[in-house]
């Protein structure tokens, strides 16, 4: 079965929209910072701001040229941190090479860090403190599993990739002692030995290493769940755009073996955006002393 990420994300956005419609006073607000010109980032930011608009979240985009210095960018973040009516701040990555991304992401006030990249939020995730923000892609994947009635408790989850944004927080989230998690988690990476047999033992395989069509049919167990986080641009001269977006999974050959699989596009991607909206509303509610769900 193909998990329809667009459908589930749309349902969530509708739920958030219904909640926001009934708020009194100011609307929730998200401020997005984008530096330089990076075509995929332009597309992601456009999708994020459009989703905000549809949901009733006010969004503002702050654009800076690629020549901006790190200290200028830090000053700007500090101004956004100090503004009481800003609920969420997101700095779109990647940043130009002369800027240390981690200095920027760690400068965002933890209580406005709706991307969940600040060490305070990552620490809260590790200790099971639910007042923090969980990074959007792992949170989106957990939500996809819950809404597809896929049990994780006691299951072997194999995560391919150990990134700060996906692999590491995904592992922390699914190993939590909560009914929606309770998984046995293995994180595999570029130095992992016996990768194929580890993947074959996965009840749930999460591919997040950024290698086009890396996961092939011989690597997955019959009847397993395959979640594809990859967004890879590969050249395709026969297409009008000259490129094609493919995941980290060889979808065509893996799908027949899997019980559930997410497509690319239309799987995890829309969920990441839905969770950004959800985190922004959570920030608003915490700030305004409202109870969310
Ligand atoms: N670049 C690619 N994915 C992300 C994301 O989830 N958040 C931010 N801020 N930048 C990204």
């Amino acid at each position: 079965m193909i998990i329809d990420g667009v459908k589930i994300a749309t349902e969530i956005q509708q739920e958030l929209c219904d909640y926001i419609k009934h708020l009194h006073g100011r609307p929730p607000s998200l401020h997005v910072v984008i530096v330089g010109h990076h075509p995929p980032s332009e597309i992601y930011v456009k999708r994020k701001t459009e989703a905000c608009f549809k949901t009733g979240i006010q969004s503002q985009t702050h654009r800076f040229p690629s020549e901006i210095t790190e200290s200028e960018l830090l000053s700007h973040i500090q101004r956004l941190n100090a503004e009481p009516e800003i609920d969420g701040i997101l700095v779109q990555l990647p940043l130009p090479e002369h800027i240390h991304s981690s200095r920027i992401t760690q400068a965002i006030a933890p209580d406005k860090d709706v991307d969940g990249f600040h060490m305070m939020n990552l620490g809260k995730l590790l200790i099971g403190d639910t007042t923090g923000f969980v990074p959007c892609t792992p949170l989106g994947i957990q939500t996809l599993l819950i809404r597809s009635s896929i049990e994780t408790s006691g299951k072997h989850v194999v995560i391919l990739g150990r990134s700060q944004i996906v692999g590491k927080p995904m592992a922390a989230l699914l190993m939590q002692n909560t009914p929606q998690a309770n998984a046995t988690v293995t994180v595999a990476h570029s130095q992992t030995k016996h990768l194929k047999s580890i993947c074959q033992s996965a009840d749930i395989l999460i591919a997040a290493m950024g290698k086009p069509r890396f996961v092939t049919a011989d690597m997955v167990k019959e009847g397993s769940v395959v979640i594809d986080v990859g967004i890879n641009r590969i050249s395709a001269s026969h297409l009008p755009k000259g490129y094609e977006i493919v995941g980290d999974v060889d979808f065509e050959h893996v799908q027949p073996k899997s019980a559930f699989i997410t497509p690319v596009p239309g799987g995890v991607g829309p969920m990441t955006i839905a969770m950004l909206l959800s985190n922004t509303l959570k920030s608003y509610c915490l700030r305004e002393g409202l109870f969310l769900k």
Side-chain angles (χ1 to χ4, degrees):
M1 185 178 163
I2 298 174
I3 299 177
D4 188 343
V6 175
K7 179 166 171 277
I8 298 173
T10 305
E11 286 164 7
I12 292 168
Q13 286 187 35
Q14 191 55 52
E15 291 162 20
L16 297 173
C17 185
D18 290 343
Y19 185 93
I20 291 168
K21 242 190 291 190
H22 294 101
L23 292 173
H24 302 288
R26 71 175 183 92
S29 78
L30 173 70
H31 284 237
V32 179
V33 173
I34 182 164
V35 180
H37 181 68
H38 180 248
S41 291
E42 297 286 342
I43 296 171
Y44 299 146
V45 167
K46 185 162 170 263
R47 287 194 187 141
K48 289 170 186 177
T49 52
E50 280 173 358
C52 280
F53 181 73
K54 280 192 193 155
T55 315
I57 293 175
Q58 217 170 55
S59 82
Q60 197 171 319
T61 305
H62 304 255
R63 291 179 177 277
F64 296 101
S66 56
E67 300 76 37
I68 189 171
T69 66
E70 190 174 287
S71 65
E72 284 168 338
L73 191 55
L74 283 170
S75 306
H76 194 78
I77 304 278
Q78 273 141 20
R79 277 197 291 279
L80 299 179
N81 283 344
E83 194 60 60
E85 295 202 344
I86 294 178
D87 302 299
I89 302 170
L90 178 154
V91 178
Q92 187 64 30
L93 303 177
L95 290 169
E97 277 189 2
H98 67 277
I99 297 175
H100 294 86
S101 299
S102 78
R103 280 192 200 144
I104 303 299
T105 52
Q106 300 310 310
I108 296 171
D111 66 344
K112 296 187 178 190
D113 170 39
V114 287
D115 251 335
F117 295 167
H118 193 282
M119 55 179 87
M120 178 72 84
N121 287 313
L122 293 169
K124 283 186 172 181
L125 172 61
L126 278 183
I127 67 169
D129 178 336
T130 57
T131 64
F133 297 107
V134 176
C136 301
T137 301
L139 186 59
I141 292 169
Q142 186 188 39
T143 307
L144 266 188
L145 295 172
I146 293 168
R147 295 208 176 204
S148 306
S149 303
I150 295 167
E151 183 67 62
T152 53
S153 186
K155 296 292 169 66
H156 185 207
V157 174
V158 173
I159 300 166
L160 301 179
R162 53 178 157 183
S163 71
Q164 225 74 271
I165 296 182
V166 184
K168 284 185 200 172
M170 187 81 255
L173 190 59
L174 291 180
M175 70 167 88
Q176 301 260 37
N177 184 357
T178 62
Q180 302 86 0
N182 275 328
T184 304
V185 179
T186 300
V187 180
H189 48 77
S190 56
Q191 303 305 310
T192 297
K193 293 193 172 41
H194 315 298
L195 184 67
K196 186 167 160 180
S197 65
I198 291 171
C199 291
Q200 286 167 339
S201 75
D203 301 308
I204 301 172
L205 182 64
I206 302 177
M209 74 300 228
K211 292 190 180 159
R213 297 184 180 127
F214 179 87
V215 175
T216 48
D218 57 326
M219 294 168 77
V220 306
K221 181 162 77 177
E222 191 82 40
S224 59
V225 176
V226 180
I227 306 292
D228 191 350
V229 187
I231 304 177
N232 307 288
R233 265 189 197 216
I234 60 166
S235 63
S237 51
H238 63 285
L239 295 175
K241 282 185 178 166
Y243 68 86
E244 179 182 9
I245 301 292
V246 302
D248 288 353
V249 175
D250 176 7
F251 184 87
E252 186 192 345
H253 299 105
V254 171
Q255 195 233 325
K257 264 186 108 173
S258 64
F260 291 91
I261 188 167
T262 62
V264 174
V268 173
M271 291 301 291
T272 298
I273 295 179
M275 294 303 106
L276 173 67
L277 307 175
S278 170
N279 276 347
T280 304
L281 183 57
K282 178 179 179 176
S283 175
Y284 174 91
C285 289
L286 288 170
R287 203 167 297 282
E288 297 291 318
L290 298 172
F291 182 73
L292 183 61
K293 274 179 233 165

